[in-house]
Amino acid sequence: MDVVGIDLDPARVAQLARRRCAFSEPGLPELLYSGLDSGRLRVTTDYGPVSDADVVIIAVGTPVQDTRLVDHYLRAACTELAGRLRRGQLVILKSTVPPGVSRKVVAPLLESGGLTVGEDFGLAFCPERLSEGRALHELRTFPIAVGGWCPDSAAAAAAFWRRTIGTEIIHCTSMESAEMVKLANNWWIDHNIAMANELAKLCAVLDVDVLEVIAAANTIRKGTGNVNILLPSVGVGGSCLTKDPWMVWRAARDRGLDLDTVPVARKVNDSMPGYTVDLIVEELARAGRSLGQAKIAVLGVAFKNNTGDLRATPVLPVVTGLREGGAEVAVFDPLADPAEVAKVFGVTPARTAPEALAGADCIAVLARHDEFAEIDFVALRESMAPSCVIVDGRAYYSREAIDRFRRHGFGYRGIGR
Ligand SMILES: NC(=O)c1ccc[n+]([C@@H]2O[C@H](COP(=O)([O-])OP(=O)(O)OC[C@H]3O[C@@H](n4cnc5c(N)ncnc54)[C@H](O)[C@@H]3O)[C@@H](O)[C@H]2O)c1
């Protein structure tokens, strides 16, 4: 396929044209290079090429503010498209939206150019369900849910995905159903993690290792798969799980239905950065230190392991809490852009792990990137405070690694461990 990527942000387009990927995604740079080199992929700020396309995919941001969808990016994109659509084209919306937006917002805006959806052009909603850091692998393996404006639109979208990606197609009987598929996925994930986080809090007071409990609990079958309790952590961040459940909640509220599980799960997950700060304070106290006297080395500031993405990262409230308590905080994240870290966190990040770790009373591993495996805390032991404690926000160190830390004089505390 010949692909044209259109974005209003000239800096993002220029960055891609210079062969730079903003996010760490295995295999993505190679795909970008081969697309640009072969001429099959072009990136531009110009909407002009839309008229030549057979299929137009909309994937603009759909943030939420005060539980309501901020739809101006979506509206602007549809308005730009409206005047350029021609007969026979297929438009696919991939941005996550509340149920009804494809039909009630996108379709009328696209029709404002004079063509009629279902007659002159097709429209389908196909949710984007990939997770950052595994996106290409999941793209090649995950089924694609398709909901069409009409049967012809649905058939055209299914044929397009079959030809381009070739994965299984899940036929939804309406666009609203496909919109809900995406929201149900993220509602489930956020809810599941909230349960894992509360399980971790309980395991901590029972002096039981939450990972052992989860691993064993997940061994029985239930429904069509296994029990699948996800992992507790320093918190839930990123641009999707922090907003999509609110889309669900608002969609229900607007129809006179109150959903209890969404706010509860959000509250639990939002409590985790504060819980992590409390763990650090407790462990420092155990070692006879107060937060105000301590240097904390934070390793990993991204919202999840193996990405450099700082959007809604739960590490930010942790760092803020530590600094408010008077601690000196050094941060290190080899995957995050140092200028962005400085902007978001208000501190210049350390250039190397040893620089961040020097003199540390506490090492807080809050995103555990694979390359951190090369940092040997034990080998650097002399450069840290004698009572240094490791607080594990999502590294999920093995029992062997924890025993080794302890043999070399480190304290260790994990979320629920
Ligand atoms: N990031 C993920 O992992 C992920 C996963 C699943 C679903 N989604 C969904 O995909 C959508 C996009 O997410 P994202 O993380 O890429 O958002 P983003 O904000 O990082 O990127 C959106 C891009 O759209 C561009 N844009 C805004 N208005 C435009 C317009 N009118 N015309 C052209 N470009 C425009 C912005 O400049 C930006 O580069 C959202 O609905 C999100 O919920 C994202």
Side-chain angles (χ1 to χ4, degrees):
M1 301 283 154
D2 284 319
V3 180
V4 184
I6 302 171
D7 198 296
L8 290 186
D9 180 355
R12 184 163 286 196
V13 170
Q15 191 182 45
L16 287 168
R18 284 201 316 272
R19 306 157 65 97
R20 297 270 314 264
C21 291
F23 297 127
S24 170
E25 195 70 61
L28 187 61
E30 295 80 355
L31 267 188
L32 178 69
Y33 306 155
S34 75
L36 292 171
D37 290 347
S38 66
R40 285 260 185 90
L41 172 66
R42 286 179 292 142
V43 287
T44 175
T45 54
D46 175 17
Y47 264 81
V50 163
S51 309
D52 297 329
D54 297 305
V55 179
V56 179
I57 299 173
I58 306 174
V60 298
T62 46
V64 163
Q65 204 169 21
D66 297 331
T67 77
R68 284 181 195 281
L69 172 70
V70 176
D71 64 2
H72 57 251
Y73 302 111
L74 186 59
R75 285 177 176 274
C78 292
T79 306
E80 285 284 350
L81 291 174
R84 295 179 169 87
L85 289 184
R86 58 172 177 77
R87 285 194 170 75
Q89 282 179 317
L90 171 68
V91 179
I92 297 177
L93 178 62
K94 280 209 132 245
S95 303
T96 303
V97 290
V101 166
S102 303
R103 185 178 307 278
K104 294 188 183 129
V105 177
V106 172
L109 284 170
L110 295 177
E111 285 186 324
S112 66
L115 298 184
T116 303
V117 61
E119 285 176 27
D120 299 317
F121 68 95
L123 176 63
F125 181 81
C126 304
E128 177 56 71
R129 301 195 291 166
L130 312 176
S131 57
E132 213 170 317
R134 294 178 51 78
L136 290 179
H137 170 74
E138 292 180 352
L139 181 71
R140 294 178 180 121
T141 50
F142 276 9
I144 298 182
V146 173
W149 169 272
C150 56
D152 281 353
S153 294
F160 169 70
W161 293 122
R162 246 182 240 115
R163 194 166 149 199
T164 50
I165 299 190
T167 51
E168 184 191 347
I169 303 291
I170 310 286
H171 295 277
C172 299
T173 49
S174 66
M175 294 193 291
E176 288 75 7
S177 168
E179 289 166 336
M180 270 318 298
V181 167
K182 167 68 192 182
L183 295 175
N185 278 139
N186 278 359
W187 183 6
W188 179 86
I189 296 169
D190 198 48
H191 197 156
N192 185 319
I193 295 172
M195 187 237 161
N197 282 332
E198 290 215 308
L199 177 64
K201 288 177 178 177
L202 176 59
C203 286
V205 294
L206 296 172
D207 200 16
V208 163
D209 187 333
V210 70
L211 294 195
E212 185 180 299
V213 173
I214 290 176
N218 285 353
T219 54
I220 61 162
R221 290 191 70 76
K222 207 45 119 179
T224 53
N226 271 24
V227 169
N228 182 19
I229 304 171
L230 300 175
L231 295 173
S233 72
V234 60
V236 169
S239 67
C240 290
L241 291 178
T242 52
K243 72 169 167 86
D244 294 353
W246 289 120
M247 283 190 192
V248 175
W249 183 85
R250 171 55 63 178
R253 168 59 69 88
D254 288 346
R255 291 159 178 85
L257 178 68
D258 265 325
L259 298 180
D260 294 329
T261 55
V262 168
V264 168
R266 289 281 68 239
K267 185 174 161 218
V268 170
N269 290 336
D270 283 347
S271 76
M272 296 311 290
Y275 180 82
T276 306
V277 171
D278 291 345
L279 281 190
I280 292 172
V281 171
E282 267 174 44
E283 288 305 305
L284 286 172
R286 210 190 289 267
R289 313 280 295 175
S290 74
L291 193 55
Q293 304 167 308
K295 176 182 172 182
I296 319 289
V298 172
L299 301 190
V301 295
F303 86 90
K304 79 190 263 195
N305 295 352
N306 295 317
T307 84
D309 195 341
L310 303 184
R311 287 181 292 179
T313 173
V315 181
L316 180 59
V318 175
V319 169
T320 305
L322 295 172
R323 287 164 86 194
E324 280 170 3
E328 178 194 343
V329 183
V331 302
F332 174 66
D333 193 316
L335 299 184
D337 174 22
E340 212 192 326
V341 174
K343 200 166 112 199
V344 173
F345 283 81
V347 291
T348 306
R351 277 160 304 174
T352 62
E355 184 187 323
L357 294 170
D361 297 287
C362 169
I363 305 168
V365 186
L366 301 186
R368 206 264 188 176
H369 307 319
D370 287 346
E371 51 191 281
F372 286 171
E374 287 158 24
I375 308 170
D376 187 351
F377 297 146
V378 170
L380 296 166
R381 187 72 189 87
E382 292 299 306
S383 71
M384 296 170 229
S387 58
C388 187
V389 56
I390 296 168
V391 170
D392 173 358
R394 59 168 93 233
Y396 314 116
Y397 287 112
S398 65
R399 297 293 345 161
E400 293 72 34
I402 295 167
D403 288 346
R404 182 166 174 263
F405 294 149
R406 291 199 168 124
R407 276 202 309 278
H408 289 85
F410 288 104
Y412 173 87
R413 188 79 184 270
I415 307 284
R417 315 183 71 200

